[in-house]
């Protein structure tokens, strides 16, 4: 049987070398390797042999079978390549359209904001999303007992070391010293300590808060922080910069409403509202049916914050503001639900 197997193998290889098209190839494959093929019949006959013969011939049969499979595979590739090379290709036909992605609407607005502010001489800085309690609260005039922390309820992180080797969970009463930043304001302190005064900067980035989700609130959203420090900086400088920024990004004249507001890191503080560009006044879900959208908080930098940044408040003053890039994108594009930005819904994203 050994000679019979080897002779059949050589016969198959010889016939395979003569095949020129796929139809002849398939016929040959069925004739020898099919369920009722000649090689299959011989291999089935091994089952009736003795144990010693099975060991020898079984090994040989497996080797022959694997070798033939490889040769059939090579022959198929050669035949298919030859046929494909002879196919007519009409090069005048239009090609298949390749789908291209594009920047997320939040990223588009952020890029525009960065261009606007750099044209006014502002630096664009970044900072860590996982912050220490000190930079996120303490250095910004928000001590642990301050009620402002309740309005910025956030996500505390345990079992991760910060840059100074402290681990989350080592704070007083077992509270973590590490938080997902609630605003981009911590970069104010980092920048003042690094660059001193005078100083102009913006800080775009993601922030995190434990919010109840609705059309106007998300637990993860994008914010832009602005800071300007120098001699004789006043509210006039603040309003001029904000109006230039909002008009530039919305491509239209904007109507601002300035109200007194409290923020621990500025004094005095203001709430800046923009007339809703979605409903233009009558009210809609985006503006909570009030006709105005709370766009940002701002004010003159608190002396305690300047001191925390290593700057003398007797010599320098400054303004700071923070606003949601997500809300600005809603105004710019007429989007009535902030949750759409993080939905991953291509029907929404492809519109931009």
């Amino acid at each position: 049987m050994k000679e019979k197997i080897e002779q059949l193998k050589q016969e198959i290889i010889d016939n395979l070398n003569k095949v020129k098209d796929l139809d002849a190839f398939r016929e040959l494959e069925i004739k020898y390797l099919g369920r009722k093929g000649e090689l299959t019949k011989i291999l089935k006959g091994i089952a009736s042999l003795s144990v010693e013969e099975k060991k020898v011939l079984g090994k040989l049969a497996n080797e022959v079978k694997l070798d033939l499979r490889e040769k059939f595979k090579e022959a198929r590739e050669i035949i298919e390549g030859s046929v494909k090379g002879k196919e007519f290709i009409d090069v005048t036909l239009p090609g298949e359209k390749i789908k291209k992605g594009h920047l997320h609407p939040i990223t588009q607005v952020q890029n525009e904001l960065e261009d606007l502010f750099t044209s006014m001489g502002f630096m664009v800085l970044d900072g860590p999303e996982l912050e220490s309690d000190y930079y996120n609260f303490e250095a910004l005039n928000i001590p642990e007992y301050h009620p402002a922390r309740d309005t910025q309820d956030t996500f505390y992180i345990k079992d991760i070391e910060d840059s100074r080797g402290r681990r989350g969970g080592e704070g007083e009463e077992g509270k973590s010293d590490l938080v997902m930043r609630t605003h981009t304001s911590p970069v104010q302190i980092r920048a003042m300590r690094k660059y001193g005064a005078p100083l102009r900067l913006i800080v775009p980035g993601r922030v995190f808060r434990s919010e109840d989700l609705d059309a106007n609130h998300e637990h993860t959203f994008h914010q832009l922080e602005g800071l300007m420090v120098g001699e004789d900086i006043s509210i006039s400088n603040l309003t001029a910069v904000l109006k230039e920024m909002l008009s530039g990004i919305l491509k239209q004249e904007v109507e601002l409403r300035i109200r007194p507001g409290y923020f621990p890191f500025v004094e005095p503080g203001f709430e800046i509202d923009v007339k809703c560009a979605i409903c233009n006044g009558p009210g809609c879900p985006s503006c909570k049916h009030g006709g105005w959208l709370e766009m940002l908080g701002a004010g003159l930098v608190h002396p305690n914050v300047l001191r925390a940044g290593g700057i003398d408040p007797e010599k320098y003053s400054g303004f700071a503001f923070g606003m949601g890039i997500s809300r600005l994108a809603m105004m710019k594009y007429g989007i009535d639900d902030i949750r759409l930005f993080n939905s991953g819904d291509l029907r929404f994203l492809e519109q931009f």
Side-chain angles (χ1 to χ4, degrees), residues 52-68:
E52 292 300 323
E53 289 176 318
K54 282 182 182 178
K55 289 181 180 180
V56 177
L57 294 177
K59 181 180 179 182
L60 174 63
N62 284 330
E63 290 174 352
V64 170
K65 192 173 182 179
L66 292 173
D67 191 23
L68 287 174

Side-chain angles (χ1 to χ4, degrees), residues 107-122:
T107 306
Q108 293 180 40
V109 173
Q110 179 177 321
N111 289 346
E112 288 187 48
L113 286 168
E114 290 179 7
D115 289 342
L116 276 168
F117 277 102
T118 52
S119 71
M120 292 188 284
F122 283 71

Side-chain angles (χ1 to χ4, degrees), residues 202-230:
I202 59 166
V203 188
R206 287 193 308 175
V207 297
F208 311 85
R209 296 186 187 180
S210 183
E211 294 274 10
D212 291 328
L213 305 188
D214 58 31
N216 212 35
H217 295 86
E218 255 280 21
H219 57 70
T220 301
F221 56 98
H222 288 73
Q223 193 178 59
L224 182 96
E225 182 79 15
L227 174 69
M228 184 174 181
V229 177

